[in-house]
Amino acid sequence: ESKSGGRGRATLFDEEMLSEKRYRRFLERELRAAIYLNELEVHYQPVTDASRTAAAVEGLVRWRHPVRGMIPPSQFIPVAERSNLIDLLGAWVFRRACLDAPTLPAGRIGINVSGEQLKRDEIVTMMRRVLNETGCDAARFTLEITETVATAATPQVIARIETLRAMGFQIALDDFGTGHCGFNYLKELPIDCIKIDRSYIRELGERSIAQVFVSALTQVARLQGLTIVAEGIETEAEFELAKAAGCNQFQGFLLGRPQPKLRPPQPAADSVREAALVA
Ligand code: C2E
Ligand code: MG
Ligand code: MG
Ligand code: MG
């Protein structure tokens, strides 16, 4: 008997659950095939210093679906995370980045790592194997782990992060500000870099709480020797405010979009207009 009453309702509920489960299995099968058929791509977005010079890149996975077109990671990473596909996908992305590394601009390559991958030792063995097979150096990469994963990490997960760091990977705390990370965590977590979530960047401005928070964070980070990246810079004003708050590196559509093959950072709007006038 259903708690919510009539029999009809219980049946409807069961049917919904079944179809959702079926749909998820369908997506899983499609995604598994996509990995084997090489329908995935890694696009690279530049990360610059204060003078707009490329300092690093971040690799972002996309699924070029033959019928549905380009599918963003937000639509299939959760599917992969609910199944064992995330390990396969993570390995595919890391191998692709290792193969692309020689043609990418100098500097670190950011790779997003799922919290699910960090729950198993497989990530360490996989990364060792791929580095060996491709002749890449771990020191070329930064592994990006979301703040929520880091603050909820078990001792085993922390130990795995430390092992990866000892191999030469840098560790970045991604989407910082969306979780519950206090300043005290920054002393304890084995990290090298903090990426401030774009929701904070949107709120930067004179006398805004975000500006005070980001400024305080950059001061703490400097003491700890951490790099601070401002994510999601879309306007000149955001770029200026993030610089004023003391961020070291900058990423966002203003400085360059994720692209299959990376072009140098775009010049400021003014210099584009000037160049057009001269030409
Ligand atoms: P993330 O690691 O925080 O990556 C930054 C996201 O912000 C990317 O979205 C990027 O395209 C977008 N972005 C960059 N600059 C701007 C901007 O100026 N404005 C706005 N509105 N957005 C900007 P994307 O590529 O859709 O990726 C979303 C998330 O999916 C990533 O967030 C990351 O958590 C996850 N992801 C991407 N690739 C992978 C991967 O290979 N493995 C795993 N596990 N997760 C991945
Ligand atoms: Mg990231
Ligand atoms: Mg982020
Ligand atoms: Mg994100």
Side-chain angles (χ1 to χ4, degrees):
E1 285 292 299
S2 145
K3 279 173 211 146
S4 55
R7 244 185 142 227
R9 255 195 194 179
T11 309
L12 183 65
F13 178 74
D14 288 344
E15 268 169 15
E16 271 173 11
M17 291 312 286
L18 183 69
S19 68
E20 193 192 308
K21 220 173 172 180
R22 266 194 196 154
Y23 180 62
R24 198 188 302 165
R25 284 219 203 93
F26 165 76
L27 274 183
E28 277 172 31
R29 267 200 308 275
E30 244 200 338
L31 181 56
R32 181 182 300 277
I35 297 171
Y36 285 111
L37 294 171
N38 267 316
E39 283 174 16
L40 299 189
E41 292 178 5
V42 178
H43 290 196
Y44 297 93
Q45 183 177 32
V47 179
T48 77
D49 64 17
S51 68
R52 294 176 190 250
T53 306
V57 296
E58 176 173 6
L60 296 157
V61 72
R62 270 101 184 82
W63 178 0
R64 194 185 287 276
H65 192 283
V67 176
R68 281 185 282 154
M70 203 67 100
I71 305 177
S74 57
Q75 288 184 28
F76 61 89
I77 295 287
V79 176
E81 282 177 333
R82 279 193 302 254
S83 62
N84 59 358
L85 274 179
I86 192 67
D87 290 335
L88 190 65
L89 189 145
W92 189 93
V93 168
F94 185 53
R95 175 182 299 278
R96 186 67 257 162
C98 284
L99 296 172
D100 291 342
T103 63
L104 290 171
R108 296 244 177 192
I109 303 163
I111 297 292
N112 293 287
V113 168
S114 160
E116 290 302 313
Q117 287 176 272
L118 286 167
K119 289 182 182 168
R120 295 174 288 279
D121 278 325
E122 157 72 5
I123 182 158
V124 176
T125 51
M126 177 276 281
M127 287 192 150
R128 278 215 184 90
R129 188 180 66 239
V130 173
L131 289 173
N132 268 323
E133 286 169 5
T134 58
C136 257
D137 187 352
R140 189 72 204 276
F141 296 94
T142 300
L143 304 182
E144 302 190 1
I145 296 160
T146 61
E147 179 197 16
T148 350
V149 167
T151 52
T154 62
Q156 291 95 313
V157 167
I158 298 283
R160 240 163 248 138
I161 296 173
E162 272 164 350
T163 304
L164 292 165
R165 206 162 170 237
M167 284 163 65
F169 289 106
Q170 269 194 357
I171 306 295
L173 221 50
D174 206 349
D175 301 348
F176 191 86
T178 58
H180 305 284
C181 200
F183 283 145
N184 55 323
Y185 269 107
L186 299 183
K187 300 194 300 243
E188 286 155 25
L189 290 172
I191 57 167
D192 307 277
C193 173
I194 294 172
K195 302 189 76 169
I196 301 174
D197 192 70
R198 68 169 179 267
S199 57
Y200 279 80
I201 304 305
R202 290 290 162 278
E203 282 173 19
L204 290 181
E206 261 177 85
R207 274 176 254 139
S208 76
I209 290 179
Q211 194 80 22
V212 174
F213 172 77
V214 174
S215 301
L217 181 64
T218 60
Q219 288 176 55
V220 174
R222 200 162 299 141
L223 287 176
Q224 304 285 134
L226 303 174
T227 302
I228 303 281
V229 184
E231 288 194 298
I233 303 275
E234 290 183 355
T235 66
E236 294 291 342
E238 286 167 354
F239 188 35
E240 290 309 317
L241 289 163
K243 280 193 272 189
C247 295
N248 319 94
Q249 293 186 350
F250 310 86
Q251 182 178 358
F253 295 164
L254 177 76
L255 303 155
R257 292 199 174 243
Q259 289 170 353
K261 284 223 177 75
L262 203 70
R263 270 184 256 132
Q266 300 299 305
D270 279 350
S271 56
V272 171
R273 231 173 288 130
E274 276 161 24
L277 285 176
V278 169

